[in-house]
Amino acid sequence: MEQYEPDRLSAAQSAAVRRSLTGGRGALTRRSLLRASGVGALTVGGLAGLSACGIPPAKLADAGAASDDHSAKEKRVVFSNWTEYMDVSDDEKHYPTLEAFTKRTGITVKYTADINDNVEFFGKIQPQLAAGQDIGRDLICVTDWLAARMIRLGYAQKLDPARLPHAFANLSQQFRSPDWDPGRAYTYPWTGIPTVIAYNTRATGGRTVDSVSQLLDDPKLRGRVSFLSEMRDTIGMTLLDLGKDPATFTDDDFDAAVARIQKAVDRKQIRRFTGNDYTADLVKGDIAACVAWAGDIVQLQHDSPDIKYVIPRAGYMLSSDNLLVPARARHKSNAEQLIDHYYRPPIAAQLAAYINYVCPVDGVRAELTKIDKSMADNTLILPDAAMAAASHAFRSLSAEEETAYEQKFAKLIGA
């Protein structure tokens, strides 16, 4: 895999970061907007003054080796995660599944929801990682492409399977061997993030919208369609519609997907490219149909019965956010025990019931049914065999590919 890392973000990559922060998964979700004050009160040790910054090419040759582990003497673990990615008690004063871990193991957890964007977060920790220093975190949660980059640069520690019996046994098959971490030697998924097609039956007159081709070509949807401003989701779904595999596509395939979407832009078929701010327009009916993140749709359906989703016959995109132990982390074995904790079915069910994204843990259906049967039956949270088989991952990109593709995509969406 390509080892080169750019000295700084390209203009296209910087634009992609801004899109993520202002409207994408880095922006506040619907639940965040409703509960921001409570989460803020629970966050401990947040870091201020964040900005997207350059990424030097430094690579740490031996970072993947085990660091000095102080877990036996220091019964604690420091965990950084995304906002709204942990179950919270009704009074918003407790993290039940984290407290269950401490009660069972005696290991205390310093939990901080200080990840708002992958590139921004990496910009904070990269200088210390490159210098071979402990970043003050034992466990972090990052999206698949950043996890791949950190493994490539030697910034992640290889996990000990002996401390991960539940994770090894219960990891769902569709998450077991991504191209960037074969066999899950360095990471375990926290959750899966499906990209699907959503529509408002009131806005479509009761018609189903079930393909990217329909989004791009159906004249009855003209001007009421949106696609996502995240490249891997929009291009990946279009590649599938073109009969191409997002795991193996070529430069020509990418260009064909861009050209396909460009035709719809030129005809004004597409209203706009969005982050998760499409949700309000979808509920109102200003957007009749769109490419959407499944977690948003699960939340919208609680209040808006007109909102439906479809898995296209061509398949759908699935990315993941992943747990990773950074190089030089002080409490590696404690962090591994915490990873394994979230692969115990009762714990995994509690988490899935709260965050509403794909649970990567097998054997949770009975436990989730006890909490909410409708969630247990929702294939956006617990995929059945057919849905799991229809998922596709966007292949890893070299630095040069990412720059070139982001430039083309930015031009396409007018960013």
Side-chain angles (χ1 to χ4, degrees):
M1 187 175 291
E2 181 65 50
Q3 299 295 330
Y4 171 81
E5 291 292 325
D7 286 346
R8 60 175 57 196
L9 296 180
S10 68
Q13 289 170 321
S14 295
V17 172
R18 289 193 297 272
R19 292 196 302 273
S20 180
L21 284 169
T22 57
R25 291 185 55 244
L28 289 176
T29 64
R30 172 175 175 270
R31 177 180 284 159
S32 297
L33 292 171
L34 293 172
R35 305 184 60 259
S37 60
V39 172
L42 282 167
T43 298
V44 178
L47 298 178
L50 307 183
S51 62
C53 61
I55 302 173
K59 180 177 180 180
L60 198 57
D62 64 342
S67 62
D68 292 334
D69 193 348
H70 299 265
S71 293
K73 294 182 178 180
E74 300 175 4
K75 304 294 284 184
R76 65 193 300 265
V77 61
V78 182
F79 181 12
S80 279
N81 204 350
W82 294 74
T83 57
E84 296 300 324
Y85 241 16
M86 181 64 71
D87 56 303
V88 180
S89 62
D90 289 341
D91 62 8
E92 300 185 343
K93 295 181 179 179
H94 303 278
Y95 294 119
T97 58
L98 286 177
E99 291 180 1
F101 173 74
T102 298
K103 183 177 180 180
R104 183 175 57 80
T105 65
I107 300 169
T108 61
V109 182
K110 180 182 178 182
Y111 181 78
T112 308
D114 63 344
I115 302 179
N116 296 298
D117 174 82
N118 287 287
V119 174
E120 177 189 64
F121 181 69
F122 188 57
K124 289 194 300 183
I125 65 175
Q126 195 275 339
Q128 292 167 279
L129 290 168
Q133 299 172 354
D134 176 14
I135 65 169
R137 299 166 175 85
D138 303 303
L139 190 64
I140 62 176
C141 183
V142 294
T143 304
D144 41 23
W145 65 265
L146 180 54
R149 174 179 288 179
M150 292 185 68
I151 293 168
R152 188 167 69 241
L153 291 173
Y155 293 167
Q157 293 194 52
K158 186 171 287 190
L159 301 174
D160 183 353
R163 296 195 186 97
L164 297 160
H166 296 92
F168 182 81
N170 295 332
L171 177 61
S172 297
Q173 186 62 42
Q174 69 184 126
F175 292 101
R176 280 195 173 267
S177 196
D179 68 348
W180 47 270
D181 187 15
R184 292 289 180 179
Y186 292 89
T187 65
Y188 270 87
W190 179 250
T191 190
I193 307 162
T195 303
V196 300
I197 290 175
Y199 61 98
N200 184 325
T201 55
R202 177 169 41 82
T204 65
R207 297 168 62 239
T208 297
V209 180
D210 60 7
S211 71
V212 169
S213 287
Q214 189 175 355
L215 290 175
L216 294 173
D217 299 330
D218 188 341
K220 294 183 179 179
L221 298 176
R222 185 175 183 270
R224 298 188 297 150
V225 168
S226 69
F227 278 67
L228 293 169
S229 58
E230 296 287 347
M231 178 187 71
R232 288 167 175 80
D233 298 307
T234 284
I235 296 297
M237 292 291 281
T238 306
L239 284 168
L240 288 170
D241 193 71
L242 290 170
K244 304 297 183 180
D245 186 349
T248 59
F249 70 89
T250 65
D251 288 348
D252 288 343
D253 295 334
F254 185 92
D255 290 345
V258 170
R260 178 86 171 88
I261 301 168
Q262 185 66 59
K263 290 180 180 177
V265 171
D266 294 343
R267 294 196 316 272
K268 302 189 184 304
Q269 177 78 6
I270 297 175
R271 182 184 184 92
R272 61 192 181 100
F273 294 86
T274 76
N276 59 14
D277 52 326
Y278 66 85
T279 55
D281 283 347
L282 182 62
V283 170
K284 288 188 296 184
D286 292 341
I287 290 175
C290 60
V291 175
W293 286 306
D296 291 336
I297 303 309
V298 173
Q299 293 179 27
L300 291 180
Q301 287 180 326
H302 288 309
D303 303 317
S304 305
D306 294 328
I307 304 303
K308 308 295 182 184
Y309 77 92
V310 167
I311 302 301
R313 187 173 301 174
Y316 68 100
M317 297 303 298
L318 181 67
S319 56
S320 59
D321 283 334
N322 307 274
L323 300 173
L324 176 152
V325 178
R328 310 306 187 209
R330 189 174 176 88
H331 309 104
K332 177 175 180 284
S333 65
N334 289 347
E336 289 167 332
Q337 290 186 64
L338 185 55
I339 294 172
D340 197 62
H341 175 70
Y342 280 96
Y343 277 79
R344 293 170 177 259
I347 299 299
Q350 282 183 256
L351 182 67
Y354 185 84
I355 65 175
N356 296 162
Y357 279 92
V358 171
C359 180
V361 183
D362 279 342
V364 302
R365 182 172 302 279
E367 297 294 337
L368 190 54
T369 298
K370 297 174 186 177
I371 300 170
D372 187 329
K373 186 177 185 303
S374 66
M375 287 189 179
D377 293 337
N378 191 332
T379 56
L380 294 181
I381 298 174
L382 294 184
D384 56 19
M387 185 162 177
S391 68
H392 296 265
F394 201 92
R395 69 172 174 81
S396 299
L397 302 179
S398 68
E400 291 93 337
E401 284 179 322
E402 183 156 6
T403 295
Y405 291 166
E406 284 287 4
Q407 286 174 341
K408 293 175 180 179
F409 187 68
K411 182 179 179 181
L412 169 69
I413 69 175

